[in-house]
Amino acid sequence: MARDSCLSRVTAGVAVGGALGGAVGAVYGTYEAVRYKVPGFMKIRYIGQTTLGSAAVFGLFLGAGSLIHCGKSY
């Protein structure tokens, strides 16, 4: 496999997007749970759903952007 292959770029894009999206989702989920006064253990579930959803969406878009950018040579 080439050192700078398209698959490795897309994989790195998905990983970075997932990590960044998860961090932003955790912060936003915590803020929303406190703001809307989500009761008890439902806060943990709400924060988890927000974190995973944000990580999945941002990872998908950053991976797709990496795939589109992969074909271009500068």
Side-chain angles (χ1 to χ4, degrees), residues 14 17-22 25 49-64:
V14 169
L20 186 61
Q49 285 177 341
T50 307
T51 300
L52 291 177
S54 179
V57 168
F58 201 72
L60 175 75
F61 283 123
L62 202 60

Side-chain angles (χ1 to χ4, degrees), residues 34-55:
V34 171
R35 179 179 174 198
Y36 291 121
K37 296 181 176 87
V38 177
F41 284 114
M42 293 297 288
K43 281 183 186 166
I44 296 171
R45 182 177 177 187
Y46 186 79
I47 293 168
Q49 285 177 341
T50 307
T51 300
L52 291 177
S54 179

